[in-house]
Amino acid sequence: MHIKDTAHQALAELGYPEQKVKTAQARQISATLYRALPDHHIDSVFELCEQLLESREWMLSLIAFDWAFRVKKQYTPSTFEVFERWLLEYVTDWYDCDDFCTHAFGELIVQYPQLIDKTHAWAKHDNFAVRRAVAVILIYPLNKGKYPQSAPLNAANLLFNDEHDLVQKGYGWLLKVLSKTSPNEVIDYLKTHHKEMPRVAFRYALEKLDKQARAELMSL
């Protein structure tokens, strides 16, 4: 049976596609199907991931991105080319961007932080979800405390004037996560750029700062 058919059959037991399937339920199915795979070598898994992604169905994409994360111990720098191609070809909205970038793709940056420079070109892509990825790919490394020091503000600068609200929210989210460990860095950035910064990004960025800092920034 083709892997897409196998995944569909497992999801159908939950009523998919007629009924809404929760993300947690899909992840449970993903784990079960992954354990049943005869070969967990990264090349074999990625081939199956590609088949799932070709369906362009969110539930199957979720499984594909989950499997890609499960083989993280086999990543090499060349994995970037595979992941970038998936991003450019299959990621079309904020939810698949976030799922992919805050797990598998973010883990790759943790392991090989020098790869972050290759993401800068995405800031000029026509697809807003690809542009959002410039920021969101750093969320996982930030939470792990393993990222190039200048990367978060570089990403914010690259996306600063983007007109799409979901890109603005993306780099606002990035700054918010950065503020948990480097609040002064974020405060200084917001004070410097508050006049030109899109308000939605500004508000996202200050959410995790202390009450006094938030009040001061909101009064600017």
Side-chain angles (χ1 to χ4, degrees), residues 151-167:
L153 296 190
N154 282 344
N157 289 336
L158 286 167
L159 301 175
F160 193 84
N161 294 314
D162 198 291
E163 295 182 356
H164 201 292
D165 66 321
L166 290 174
V167 178

Side-chain angles (χ1 to χ4, degrees), residues 43-200:
D43 292 340
S44 298
V45 172
F46 279 6
E47 182 177 346
L48 295 176
C49 290
E50 189 92 35
Q51 294 175 21
L52 293 169
L53 290 168
E54 285 174 350
S55 71
R56 301 185 184 275
E57 293 183 49
W58 162 234
M59 283 289 112
L60 300 192
S61 295
L62 184 151
I63 293 171
F65 294 145
D66 180 55
W67 288 2
F69 186 56
R70 289 176 182 273
V71 293
K72 60 187 178 182
K73 292 183 179 180
Q74 300 179 61
Y75 290 174
T76 67
S78 64
T79 302
F80 184 90
E81 279 65 45
V82 177
F83 282 0
E84 183 178 46
R85 182 172 55 78
W86 289 358
L87 175 70
L88 300 180
E89 188 168 347
Y90 299 117
V91 171
T92 60
D93 212 334
W94 67 268
Y95 45 80
D96 41 0
C97 168
D98 293 5
D99 187 24
F100 187 27
C101 289
T102 62
H103 293 84
F105 217 158
E107 170 63 27
L108 182 65
I109 299 300
V110 166
Q111 294 185 27
Y112 304 102
Q114 71 275 14
L115 294 173
I116 197 65
D117 290 347
K118 293 188 173 186
T119 70
H120 294 171
W122 304 344
K124 297 181 179 180
H125 199 274
D126 290 341
N127 181 354
F128 86 87
V130 174
R131 302 197 305 275
R132 179 180 168 96
V134 174
V136 177
I137 199 170
L138 284 164
I139 300 296
Y140 185 90
L142 277 170
N143 285 328
K144 292 292 184 179
K146 298 179 179 180
Y147 61 96
Q149 198 65 33
S150 62
L153 296 190
N154 282 344
N157 289 336
L158 286 167
L159 301 175
F160 193 84
N161 294 314
D162 198 291
E163 295 182 356
H164 201 292
D165 66 321
L166 290 174
V167 178
Q168 296 170 12
K169 289 177 180 179
Y171 81 80
W173 178 21
L174 171 65
L175 293 173
K176 176 170 64 176
V177 175
L178 177 63
S179 75
K180 292 190 291 186
T181 54
S182 302
N184 291 334
E185 186 176 6
V186 174
I187 290 170
D188 289 345
Y189 187 85
L190 296 178
K191 284 182 176 179
T192 300
H193 298 289
H194 74 276
K195 290 183 179 179
E196 303 84 18
M197 192 172 184
R199 209 60 182 172
V200 65

